[in-house]
Amino acid sequence: MEDHAEDNDIEIEGGGFGDDKEFGLMKEPLLLRNRQNNTSQIAIVGANVCPIESLDYEIVENELFKQDWRTRKKNEIVQYVVLKWTLALLIGFSTGVVGFFNNLAVENIAGFKLMWTNSLMLQNNYYLAFGAFAGCNAVLAVAAAALCAYGAPAAAGSGIPEVKAYLNGVDAPSILAPSTLFVKIFGSIFGVAAGLVVGKEGPMVHTGACIAAFLGQGGSRKYHLTWRWLRHFKNDRDRRDLVTCGAAAGVAAAFRAPVGGVLFALEEAASWWRSALLWRTFFTTAVVAVVLRGFMDFCKSGKCGLFGEGGLIMFDVNSSVASYGTPDLLAIIFLGVLGGLLGSFYNYLVDKVLRTYSIINEKGPIFKVLLVLCISLLTSCFSYGLPWLSSCTPCPPHLMEECPTAGRSGNYKNFQCSSHQYNDLASLFFNTNDDAIKNLLSPGVSKQFHIPTLLVFFSAIFFLGIITYGIAVPSGLFIPVILAGASYGRLVGRLLGSLSQLDAGLFALLGAASFLGGTMRMTVSLCVILLELTNDLLMLPLMMLVLLISKTVADCFNKGVYDQIVKMKGLPYMEAHAEPYMRQLVAGDVVSGPLFTFAGVEKVGNIWHALKITRHNAFPVIDEPPYTDAPELCGLVLRSHLLVLLKGKKFTKQKVMTGSEIMRRFKAHDFAKAGSGKGVQLEELDISDEEMEMFVDLHPITNTSPYTVVETMSLAKAAVLFRELGLRHLLVVPKTPGRPPIVGILTRHDFVPEHILGLYPHINPHK
């Protein structure tokens, strides 16, 4: 009877990982670069190494649960359903408010910085202007880095890989904590306003998930929020659904794309989906859209400072007619291939940079801040210095706006040019990211960009986007990728010139789509998000074509950027499909020992000892004579439930079943999973030596219907079952009678490639 019942414990045998030749395209987790990874209970969250566990999505059908379900009144069920929709409403409203606040703060802070710099340049104080520009950027960047490094390290990065792992069943500390939410909001504002080549869209997904997790705690004893109606949400299943709604709301708030948010959650974030969740997610994103529209209408009156006018459409390119011929289709296919190649290369470089930065981040918070400061100064030098290489362009005639413009919102930057001329490279570099994208997507007749300008801007953004992602600030990849993709897309449009019927702005949109497809590897959600961003439904066929081509090409080289980061951080993510080599093994091949089991009526000292010497999250319960004729599997009992039971001290001196007394003493909600608190800990138990010799009946808290598989089931089939049902434990039972009733327990770690290939190094992982 051997099993590895530890929740996520991985043992890496000698030579378990091998070299790149043995594993081909498989990449080692970053944890293994300079330390021996003896357990998969650690992963990199933010920039810190943290212990992790799995989430309990399975319904524990013990006697207490059944009694609670039988006694639940109709009005309680209605109350539970109404509360779910109410929480979805609150998540949508809160995320919409935070999304608007982010945009408002970024536009005003960055606008003040750019106007101050521009006014100094108009006075020919160019060195002083650079000092002001770089100084403001450095102060904002250091503020964002200090918040992340000292306040909430889990807030660094985009947060999408962590949210994706959480919705897959991986529970890492602090990724959805209130402190992370606070740092994510303000760190993102400071980082984007500092001119770093990062986006606020990725962090908004994490922000929405944090808001959902905070609202779905099911009450809190710490803050005296223990209302009876909140206890229904003290389980991982309902919290998972709310976090899915929050992730969708984050996309809807970031891109003002409510339908795109739903599809993003479906395609990229969530691992489990059902029709009821679809409706609730759609409702949440609709609330976000309404809230944003209301705030935008309010800001049109000029009461929001430097925040520009706008609606739900962010980059309107609808003024161009999407008519195309054969040369255009060839150019679009070329864009798709180019986007796939560049996207896979981008992901490769991001992976290398993240591994390099981890060496710096491990040295402590001060080194994280210094790294951010260096990147900020380098970005400021690029943004201020490169426009000097650009030649001046005469202002187009019959313009509705002033050219050149002295204000922040103007798109025709004077920089070093004389009157009636503008610097086209400065209009991209010396602007907010949103305004730069608007310029790139603008019709070619209204704004011209020289070919050298587009080449310089693409090269700089491509380089800065890679080295900026991974520093200790909340940073998204969407905006840098859109900027780089729109640059080479517009460049292709300029090169085609009169040969093309499509406008250069539409080529920029298709270029952004191709680069997004090559890096993110999403298709449906990206297509809808870009269409909602640009309000150009006529581009749908071309957008679909370019996304399909870019994803197909990029998949030939490596995985999507978020999948790479999940793998690199060591998060034990369960894929939707089983690896081919798993068909060579059966379930009984990967379970390991020792296996700890309890009797139906167990001695208190045995339970306490097992809880002390192991970190197992669940233990099989086996009934033995005289209660049964032969040993038989009763079910599975959770560690957290055992701790609550021991704390209640319903013990007996004789080994007898006392289920009825325990049912009267405890209710189902006593065993509900704690929210942000840790619940009952073993150290809190005060059990005397006399009580250690007493007995306790485990039957009322034992899940009598755990999922089981026979030991001869293929590991591939077991992996698919484990993933599709969202399990934390899968019991393996013997094939033949006359043996102990359980062979072992499969947990998430047993399906991790490193564990399997460590046990069987002779297996070819590609067969």
Side-chain angles (χ1 to χ4, degrees):
M1 289 191 356
E2 288 190 343
D3 168 65
H4 188 92
E6 192 109 18
D7 177 42
N8 279 312
D9 220 16
I10 276 189
E11 290 189 5
I12 304 301
E13 306 286 343
F17 275 91
D19 56 16
D20 286 343
K21 293 180 181 178
E22 180 179 352
F23 287 92
L25 294 178
M26 284 181 54
K27 299 297 182 183
E28 296 179 359
L30 193 57
L31 290 165
L32 300 182
R33 189 191 64 252
N34 58 0
R35 63 172 68 86
Q36 182 66 26
N37 185 13
N38 295 319
T39 171
S40 69
Q41 284 190 334
I42 58 172
I44 297 176
V45 180
N48 287 354
V49 177
C50 303
I52 61 169
E53 291 188 356
S54 294
L55 297 169
D56 292 299
Y57 290 151
E58 182 185 358
I59 296 176
V60 179
E61 292 184 340
N62 54 33
E63 292 301 322
L64 283 167
F65 169 82
K66 294 175 182 177
Q67 182 189 53
D68 179 71
W69 188 255
R70 286 192 297 265
T71 58
R72 192 171 293 185
K73 299 176 182 178
K74 185 177 180 180
N75 65 326
E76 289 183 291
I77 298 174
V78 172
Q79 187 182 57
Y80 169 70
V81 174
V82 171
L83 186 58
K84 268 191 171 183
W85 287 96
T86 303
L87 286 174
L89 172 68
L90 291 175
I91 291 168
F93 178 80
S94 303
T95 309
V97 171
V98 170
F100 171 75
F101 173 72
N102 278 10
N103 281 286
L104 182 68
V106 167
E107 291 287 332
N108 279 282
I109 295 173
F112 170 77
K113 173 191 70 179
L114 292 171
M115 283 198 301
W116 183 27
T117 307
N118 197 62
S119 64
L120 291 173
M121 293 185 71
L122 290 175
Q123 300 169 18
N124 295 326
N125 294 325
Y126 295 115
Y127 292 107
L128 185 59
F130 173 71
F133 180 69
C136 288
N137 286 344
V139 169
L140 291 169
V142 167
L147 281 174
C148 272
Y150 293 99
S158 70
I160 292 179
E162 285 82 2
V163 172
K164 184 175 179 178
Y166 178 89
L167 293 177
N168 188 259
V170 179
D171 186 19
S174 303
I175 61 171
L176 300 177
S179 59
T180 303
L181 172 62
F182 175 83
V183 172
K184 203 76 181 182
I185 294 173
F186 290 96
S188 177
I189 291 172
F190 294 151
V192 176
L196 295 172
V197 185
V198 297
K200 55 185 178 292
E201 285 68 21
M204 271 305 302
V205 176
H206 196 180
T207 299
C210 289
I211 291 172
F214 178 74
L215 293 175
Q217 286 296 308
S220 171
R221 293 180 182 177
K222 180 179 178 181
Y223 299 106
H224 306 291
L225 298 174
T226 54
W227 299 311
R228 177 181 173 84
W229 48 272
L230 281 173
R231 64 181 173 86
H232 294 304
F233 289 88
K234 284 188 173 293
N235 62 85
D236 287 331
R237 180 179 288 254
D238 284 323
R239 289 174 189 159
R240 174 193 69 188
D241 291 350
L242 292 175
V243 169
T244 303
C245 292
V251 175
F255 293 107
R256 303 165 208 175
V259 179
V262 176
L263 293 174
F264 174 85
L266 171 61
E267 183 179 6
E268 182 67 14
S271 294
W272 296 282
W273 199 263
R274 60 185 190 279
S275 58
L277 183 58
L278 175 66
W279 281 103
R280 203 169 295 116
T281 308
F282 187 69
F283 171 71
T284 306
T285 57
V287 171
V288 173
V290 172
V291 170
L292 286 175
R293 173 64 74 181
F295 280 118
M296 292 296 176
D297 289 341
F298 173 78
C299 283
K300 285 182 179 179
S301 59
K303 299 178 181 178
C304 297
L306 298 175
F307 188 72
E309 294 185 3
L312 286 179
I313 305 304
M314 206 174 197
F315 313 118
D316 191 356
V317 297
N318 204 32
S319 56
S320 303
V321 180
S323 59
Y324 45 88
T326 302
D328 297 311
L329 287 176
L330 294 176
I332 290 163
I333 293 172
F334 171 75
L335 274 181
V337 174
L338 182 62
L341 294 174
L342 288 174
S344 59
F345 184 56
Y346 192 88
N347 291 0
Y348 171 81
L349 294 177
V350 165
D351 180 82
K352 296 300 181 186
V353 168
L354 287 176
R355 292 174 184 273
T356 304
Y357 283 174
S358 68
I359 302 172
I360 302 173
N361 291 334
E362 285 178 354
K363 296 182 182 296
I366 188 63
F367 286 90
K368 299 179 186 178
V369 176
L370 289 175
L371 175 61
V372 172
L373 179 60
C374 292
I375 298 297
S376 174
L377 292 175
L378 180 63
T379 304
S380 298
C381 292
F382 272 60
S383 300
Y384 189 87
L386 288 178
W388 292 93
L389 303 176
S390 177
S391 58
C392 296
T393 304
C395 290
H398 312 299
L399 270 182
M400 297 298 294
E401 61 176 300
E402 178 188 2
C403 177
T405 48
R408 173 208 62 87
S409 59
N411 292 321
Y412 296 90
K413 299 294 183 183
N414 177 272
F415 218 68
Q416 86 284 17
C417 298
S418 59
S419 58
H420 304 296
Q421 290 183 326
Y422 71 96
N423 187 315
D424 59 344
L425 193 53
S427 65
L428 297 176
F429 272 118
F430 219 63
N431 234 327
T432 61
N433 290 336
D434 287 355
D435 285 339
I437 295 175
K438 288 179 182 178
N439 286 338
L440 286 170
L441 298 184
S442 62
V445 293
S446 63
K447 190 162 186 63
Q448 296 289 337
F449 288 99
H450 300 296
I451 290 177
T453 294
L454 295 171
L455 279 173
V456 169
F457 185 72
F458 166 72
S459 303
I461 292 297
F462 190 89
F463 169 73
L464 290 174
I466 291 169
I467 66 169
T468 305
Y469 192 77
I471 60 176
V473 297
S475 53
L477 275 174
F478 275 95
I479 291 302
V481 170
I482 290 176
L483 280 169
S487 302
Y488 72 70
R490 193 173 184 103
L491 176 62
V492 170
R494 281 297 310 275
L495 291 173
L496 285 177
S498 59
L499 296 176
S500 173
Q501 300 179 35
L502 283 177
D503 185 81
L506 298 181
F507 270 108
L509 175 61
L510 293 171
S514 70
F515 202 21
L516 282 169
T519 52
M520 312 294 179
R521 311 297 162 83
M522 294 180 284
T523 51
V524 180
S525 55
L526 273 181
C527 186
V528 174
I529 287 172
L530 289 172
L531 290 176
E532 288 185 282
L533 271 177
T534 57
N535 195 29
D536 197 350
L537 195 59
L538 295 175
M539 294 296 290
L540 177 60
L542 301 181
M543 196 96 64
M544 293 171 65
L545 178 64
V546 79
L547 282 169
L548 286 170
I549 294 173
S550 62
K551 182 186 185 306
T552 303
V553 171
D555 280 340
C556 298
F557 298 96
N558 50 31
K559 291 186 175 182
V561 63
Y562 298 132
D563 293 321
Q564 281 191 178
I565 294 172
V566 165
K567 176 73 175 176
M568 184 181 61
K569 286 176 175 286
L571 296 166
Y573 186 87
M574 289 287 294
E575 297 288 350
H577 60 276
E579 297 294 337
Y581 60 83
M582 290 184 179
R583 301 192 182 279
Q584 305 175 42
L585 301 170
V586 296
D589 289 335
V590 296
V591 292
S592 53
L595 175 65
F596 288 81
T597 63
F598 293 137
V601 181
E602 185 61 80
K603 184 183 286 188
V604 173
N606 292 344
I607 299 175
W608 187 89
H609 180 70
L611 294 176
K612 182 179 180 181
I613 66 173
T614 72
R615 291 176 296 176
H616 300 359
N617 177 69
F619 301 86
V621 177
I622 297 176
D623 278 331
E624 298 176 341
Y627 302 106
T628 56
D629 296 333
E632 65 178 37
L633 178 64
C634 176
L636 197 68
V637 62
L638 297 182
R639 180 189 189 90
S640 58
H641 291 185
L642 287 170
L643 290 169
V644 174
L645 186 64
L646 292 181
K647 189 175 183 180
K649 294 191 174 184
K650 274 294 179 180
F651 308 146
T652 58
K653 292 185 178 180
Q654 288 78 34
K655 192 174 182 179
V656 294
M657 298 178 68
T658 57
S660 57
E661 294 183 16
I662 291 176
M663 298 278 284
R664 286 193 294 270
R665 164 67 176 80
F666 293 99
K667 300 298 180 185
H669 60 81
D670 293 327
F671 297 89
K673 185 168 182 177
S676 56
K678 296 180 180 179
V680 181
Q681 300 297 310
L682 184 64
E683 295 77 15
E684 300 174 15
L685 300 181
D686 184 18
I687 301 176
S688 64
D689 292 338
E690 182 182 358
E691 289 171 330
M692 288 289 188
E693 299 300 319
M694 299 175 73
F695 295 88
V696 62
D697 188 3
L698 302 182
H699 289 96
I701 64 169
T702 299
N703 180 10
T704 56
S705 58
Y707 287 96
T708 62
V709 296
V710 70
E711 60 183 337
T712 54
M713 176 183 282
S714 74
L715 190 61
K717 196 172 182 180
V720 172
L721 177 68
F722 193 95
R723 164 62 155 75
E724 292 300 319
L725 294 176
L727 302 180
R728 186 173 184 176
H729 306 96
L730 183 61
L731 276 61
V732 181
V733 296
K735 174 76 171 177
T736 55
R739 296 168 56 192
I742 181 169
V743 176
I745 300 178
L746 290 173
T747 56
R748 180 176 292 266
H749 94 279
D750 293 307
F751 300 102
V752 174
E754 290 80 15
H755 171 69
I756 299 171
L757 298 172
L759 294 175
Y760 302 97
H762 63 279
I763 290 180
N764 187 337
H766 304 295
K767 288 186 178 180

